[in-house]
Amino acid sequence: MTEITVVGAGGEYMEAVVVVEWHKKAGERVEAGETVVTVETAKAATEIEAPASGVLAEIRAGIGEEIEVGGVLGIIGDGVTAPAVPSAALVPASSTSPAQAPAAPVPQGSDERRVVASPLARRVAAQRNIDLAAVVPSSPSGRIKLRDLDAHVADKAGGAVAPPMLREEASVPASTKAGKTADGLNIQRRGSRQGDRIVFLHGFGSDGPSWQPLLAALGNGFDIILVDLPGHGRSPLPQNAPSVNEMAEAVAQALDQAAVDDFHLVAHSLGGAVSLALAARGRHAIRSLTLLAPAGLGPDINGGFVSGLARATRTESLAPWLSRLFCDATLASPAFVAATMQARSDAALREAQLRIAEAVFPDGTQAADFRHVVKGIAAPVKIVWGEQDKVIPMHHALGTGGQAALHFLAGVGHMPQIEAAEAVARLVKQNIRAAS
Amino acid sequence: MSMMRYAEALNQALREEMQRDPTVFVFGEDIGRYGGVFKVTRGLMEEFGESRIRDTPISEQALAAMAVTAAMTGTRPVLEIMYADFMPLVLDALINQASIYEYLWDGVTMPFVLRTQGGGGAGAGAQHSKSLDALVAHIPGIKVVAPVTPADAKGLLKSAIRDSQPVVFLEHKLLYNQRDEVPDDPEHLIEIGKAKTVTEGRDVSIFATSRMVIESRKAAELLAADGISAEVIDLRSLRPLDLAAIKASIAKTHHAVVVNEGWRFCGYAAELSATIMDHAFDDLDAPVARVTLPDMPVPYSEPLEMAVLPNATKIAEAARNILK
Amino acid sequence: MKKNSPSIDERLEMHRRMILTRLLEERLGELHKAGKTRGPIHRCDGQEAVGVGATAMLSAEDFVTSTHRGHAHYIGKGLDVGRIAAEILGRETGYCGGRAGHMLIGDITQGLIGGNAIVGASIPAAAGMALSIQVRGASNVALCFFGDGAAQTGICHEAMNMAGLWKLPMVFLLEHNQYGLTVHQSVQSPVADLSIRGAGYAMPSEIVDGNDAVEVYRAVSAAVDRARRGEGPSLIEAKTYRWEGFSTSDMGGYQSEEDLAAWKARDPIRISYDSLVEAVGKERLDAVEKAAVAEVDRAVEQALAAPLPNFAVFEQSSPYAGAV
């Protein structure tokens, strides 16, 4: 089962697209690479290609319907099995957007019996493709609540709980599925399976969906893998704060489980250090490495920023730190701050990240040094840095020897993938081309 | 920082704003020579004179209308209405006058503050114990705030006086003697429209107004003993509402209890429930619970009055019910 | 010339404005019959001398509050007939962009703040403005128009009491047209001359012929001077009569033909004409009338051709913070 999602069509951090035309009907055969649907943004109409061959099993968004970038437009099946799990972890919604409508209606057991469930339980059940009719409510109110879904899934799995938000691929071998543990990192896949495969590792305090502006600039045609680092996004919260190497090990395992061993790697900040640790392991075929303001190349880091970001419990205390991320502080718009805060609204997540910060950046210093790794990588390496980076100084790039190409961007802060998405996208594509 | 009573914090705010801006003036019944029945305006007449601090006859209807037009013509009036139960008398001035002018007439500002106090628990009887928040929060063009702590009282009153729109400032008779730290800074302002998280929690959000925030904090302690982590949010601003804070809290806890000392039917808590449904429906794991006055007058005898007022026990019970 | 008397030029201007008012009322009556207006319109035919005479000596910095029957007040205070007509016809080019209608027109720049459909509301409104003047120590005055019906409201008494108590710089102009809606004043008050109440509030009062613009001018001018000197408010009762019913919805039948005929024989415009014709000449007066006709014709024509407004939600009244 493969989802047809919107990746390259959106232009800004959070934008919706409108479906203009379906070129295939439900039940029709599609070939990978065929244009299957056309969507429109404020900027232009974009054709979306089928990411895999199969049958267009389900159309989720009809003509004229608006869907968030990252949302599911339709499902391509093999024509035999039931529709796949709808995408779960999407781009964080802006605090002013209306509540998302639940995905496909959950099939119910009997037409006469009406299932009573809380709005939250309904939404999550739809996302996880759980049949509410089979769930037993534990509340004396008779209403199915969120906890009943977890209990139901645990029962069905016979005790072994699958990670709730991990997408499953029909093509993943059964042996790998059996090897999954409850501690696996959350991974999202987007785009076209036929394209060049790129793994993205985000920075401290961030998550997979934060790559959206760069994905939009990259456009269609890539096989996108977004990994949530331990203690970030929807990945499990570690009990003990992992080191950079331990994080790289977790990423390696998650990629193994997804049968991904041959890929280009794009990484930002802390993710940059993790990507170097990953490369050092030598277990995967990393075809090119694009590092954006990476950690791991020197001792300096703005400790005040890291702890300020990690400690912030609301938008007022988060906004001043977020505005330091960019050369143009207005990029830390109220919507951006609100969405970021919403993604960090879980206090346990914030605590976990604080512990990680203390472990990886003790006393405002970078503990790990991976400069030697850069020198040893055979594949093309690009290091991109904003000259106005207030978090990690750009001069760290100068200590990596002569092999890596260095790109310094004027008027850009610590997040070139947002502040100069087009430029970074060009560099990533160059790096990918250089590899083949 | 200085330790002071809520009433003193209000007094300080009035004094500072009147020193800062000569167009600010205070009027109301017994507020001049007597210093106000709750002593909020004590000492002001001696400092600012009888033109800017005026004792008035018992004429709430005209006084409110006069506050509206005095504010439209170059002054910043602060009108004290002794009891919130007298709100019906000022409603024409708020609803038929203040509410419409900014919309109808170009170039209008109406920077007036209408201070009042309400709430039960003092044995004052059915006509001196009400909180008519819903009546004023319903009106477009009027801001409504209800500070709980002395620091917020000072900061919000200063903001209210400096605001170019009308502000109804809801005090509570049982809050006047609460003591707490207040910043000395004469520019200590609390932004109108910003709620405050008083206690952080993960299992249930309790949104409360005025003195009910204090009861909600106690309820959170009761719940904590049962292992339930309650988040208490002091709305502070009844209108405009800090919708972002409400949504963020419910996104975290998925359960909401709303506490307000008004009547249940068509009360302020009812609006919060509707607002939560509009903006956070899919995050709710249970219906919104309301803890309010029952739909009846506030009785006088102590056991009767205590029976109608929301309290920590009732709030904790409401939270437990929806968590079940 | 008597003290506080209008000059010939002032009288000519009052004459012109009374004609403008009468023509506007008549055109509105035609438009109403032709189905081109919305809602009831409260015409002031026969009462023009009161509104025009009482405002002629005021400046733009003096404040006037008006009633639901305010076209003579608007025009007397210097508002533009074209924008009044456009507002009444609901056009974008009206004084309030079509949002207000004929009873709620206001123009802060001219000190006409403003029409009011709540009977009696103009009275404490002017008192509030006078209070603002007094607190600021300015030398302007506020004048409220109100009718014999409004004189019975509680807010009238509250406002007059405070105005007399504080010696507010204002003028109470009671436009006595003998009817509160359909009910004769003898059935609304036990006294025929309401000016007697001035004594109850320690303010001087006077009865004038409301159909003689010069009489009205003299009385009001004296009262305004008193107010500016800090001697407090006055009550002026201008006896007059309305010809066209309480509004365009009036089904009539309660005003006797004899009364109407008698009052129409004392048409204020006729009285003004007769008093001016010797000094100014018939040609001049005819020219003034002709120009007035042209002005009102143009005003109505332009108003009918002007676009209707587009709707926009008034964000300043939003109940949620951050929405503006």
Side-chain angles (χ1 to χ4, degrees), chain B residues 1-321:
Chain B
M1 285 288 206
S2 305
M3 197 67 163
M4 67 178 71
R5 288 164 48 243
Y6 185 101
E8 288 173 78
L10 292 171
N11 184 279
Q12 204 173 76
L14 287 171
R15 190 182 301 271
E16 286 170 10
E17 292 306 299
M18 289 188 73
Q19 281 165 355
R20 181 182 174 271
D21 182 346
T23 68
V24 178
F25 72 96
V26 180
F27 61 139
E29 294 160 23
D30 305 278
I31 57 104
R33 291 152 191 84
Y34 191 69
V37 292
F38 296 101
K39 298 302 180 190
V40 172
T41 48
R42 185 198 335 238
L44 294 181
M45 187 177 249
E46 287 86 333
E47 183 169 343
F48 297 102
E50 292 182 25
S51 179
R52 293 178 71 196
I53 305 286
R54 293 186 185 225
D55 283 319
T56 69
I58 303 174
S59 307
E60 279 84 0
Q61 283 185 272
L63 285 169
M66 288 164 70
V68 174
T69 55
M72 278 166 57
T73 52
T75 50
R76 288 180 182 261
V78 179
L79 172 62
E80 179 176 307
I81 298 288
M82 203 186 285
Y83 279 80
D85 311 66
F86 309 158
M87 282 306 226
L89 292 169
V90 311
L91 284 180
D92 183 85
L94 294 178
I95 294 176
N96 281 318
Q97 317 298 333
S99 168
I100 67 176
Y101 295 145
E102 200 184 3
Y103 176 60
L104 294 184
W105 299 338
D106 294 333
V108 165
T109 60
M110 274 175 291
F112 72 87
V113 177
L114 195 153
R115 287 181 41 244
T116 186
Q117 61 75 25
Q127 291 172 334
H128 288 77
S129 304
K130 292 192 285 292
S131 303
L132 295 173
D133 310 348
L135 292 186
V136 285
H138 188 49
I139 309 170
I142 309 286
K143 293 181 173 161
V144 183
V145 300
V148 180
T149 64
D152 283 357
K154 180 178 175 188
L156 272 174
L157 184 52
K158 290 168 80 81
S159 292
I161 290 172
R162 297 189 196 188
D163 203 301
S164 65
Q165 286 187 314
V167 180
V168 172
F169 196 89
L170 301 174
E171 299 156 17
H172 194 292
K173 55 175 66 63
L174 295 184
L175 288 178
Y176 285 122
N177 284 324
Q178 298 275 315
R179 294 176 64 86
D180 207 340
E181 299 261 295
V182 174
D184 297 321
D185 179 14
E187 290 303 306
H188 163 67
L189 298 170
I190 304 278
E191 190 185 329
I192 294 178
K194 277 270 175 287
K196 180 169 71 176
T197 304
V198 166
T199 312
E200 263 202 49
R202 307 196 52 194
D203 298 325
V204 57
S205 304
I206 305 178
F207 303 102
T209 59
S210 194
R211 192 178 75 79
M212 294 297 108
V213 172
I214 297 180
E215 290 300 316
S216 299
R217 280 179 91 162
K218 294 183 197 157
E221 283 161 29
L222 293 174
L223 291 166
D226 289 342
I228 297 173
S229 158
E231 177 152 287
V232 178
I233 292 189
D234 174 2
L235 288 176
R236 290 202 293 197
S237 225
L238 276 66
R239 182 176 185 140
L241 198 50
D242 189 345
L243 189 55
I246 294 173
K247 286 167 67 169
S249 185
I250 293 177
K252 199 172 34 157
T253 67
H254 307 301
H255 295 80
V257 178
V258 182
V259 191
N260 173 260
E261 219 179 305
W263 293 307
R264 185 177 176 80
F265 193 73
C266 290
Y268 187 74
E271 170 55 51
L272 280 178
S273 304
T275 285
I276 290 171
M277 192 153 84
D278 282 344
H279 295 275
F281 181 72
D282 291 294
D283 280 332
L284 286 176
D285 209 14
V288 176
R290 285 181 283 166
V291 184
T292 69
L293 230 59
D295 298 299
M296 57 182 282
V298 178
Y300 159 71
S301 178
E302 188 170 10
L304 299 182
E305 188 177 15
M306 292 305 124
V308 302
L309 290 177
N311 58 37
T313 307
K314 294 180 190 172
I315 297 168
E317 193 185 313
R320 284 194 200 94
N321 273 341

Side-chain angles (χ1 to χ4, degrees), chain C residues 49-71:
Chain C
V50 181
V52 170
T55 50
M57 82 300 295
L58 299 177
S59 77
E61 287 80 41
D62 295 315
F63 304 122
V64 166
T65 63
S66 174
T67 63
H68 53 287
R69 195 181 301 285
H71 298 173

Side-chain angles (χ1 to χ4, degrees), chain C residues 49-258:
Chain C
V50 181
V52 170
T55 50
M57 82 300 295
L58 299 177
S59 77
E61 287 80 41
D62 295 315
F63 304 122
V64 166
T65 63
S66 174
T67 63
H68 53 287
R69 195 181 301 285
H71 298 173
H73 315 156
Y74 299 164
I75 291 174
K77 197 65 172 62
L79 266 59
D80 169 64
V81 178
R83 291 185 68 193
I84 296 175
E87 182 61 34
I88 297 175
L89 290 168
R91 270 25 187 201
E92 200 177 75
T93 49
Y95 265 106
C96 309
R99 301 180 299 275
H102 98 99
M103 288 185 279
L104 287 169
I105 291 181
D107 183 357
I108 300 250
T109 65
Q110 295 286 41
L112 192 286
I113 324 177
N116 210 309
I118 300 293
V119 172
S122 62
I123 307 169
M129 296 176 193
L131 177 59
S132 168
I133 293 168
Q134 192 174 73
V135 166
R136 286 184 290 114
S139 60
N140 314 103
V141 302
L143 180 146
C144 55
F145 289 102
F146 61 103
D148 42 294
Q152 321 309 346
T153 62
I155 44 179
C156 175
H157 295 281
E158 290 185 358
M160 288 179 75
N161 181 49
M162 282 189 272
L165 174 68
W166 293 333
K167 292 200 178 336
L168 293 180
M170 62 184 297
V171 179
F172 291 89
L173 197 332
L174 203 171
E175 206 167 341
H176 197 316
N177 67 6
Q178 316 208 4
Y179 284 89
L181 217 73
T182 63
V183 176
H184 189 257
Q185 59 93 23
S186 57
V187 187
Q188 300 215 345
S189 165
V191 297
D193 294 330
L194 298 170
S195 54
I196 192 180
R197 292 178 181 163
Y201 302 113
M203 68 176 83
S205 60
E206 188 179 345
I207 298 177
V208 297
D209 176 3
N211 282 24
D212 184 337
V214 173
E215 282 305 307
V216 172
Y217 182 110
R218 285 200 194 110
V220 174
S221 188
V224 164
D225 283 352
R226 268 203 295 281
R228 285 200 216 283
R229 287 196 300 267
E231 290 166 26
S234 317
L235 171 59
I236 295 170
E237 184 180 351
K239 301 282 197 191
T240 181
Y241 199 82
R242 60 164 161 79
W243 299 353
E244 289 295 330
F246 65 78
S247 82
T248 46
S249 333
D250 192 340
M251 303 214 285
Y254 56 90
Q255 285 173 283
S256 80
E257 290 301 320
E258 293 86 15

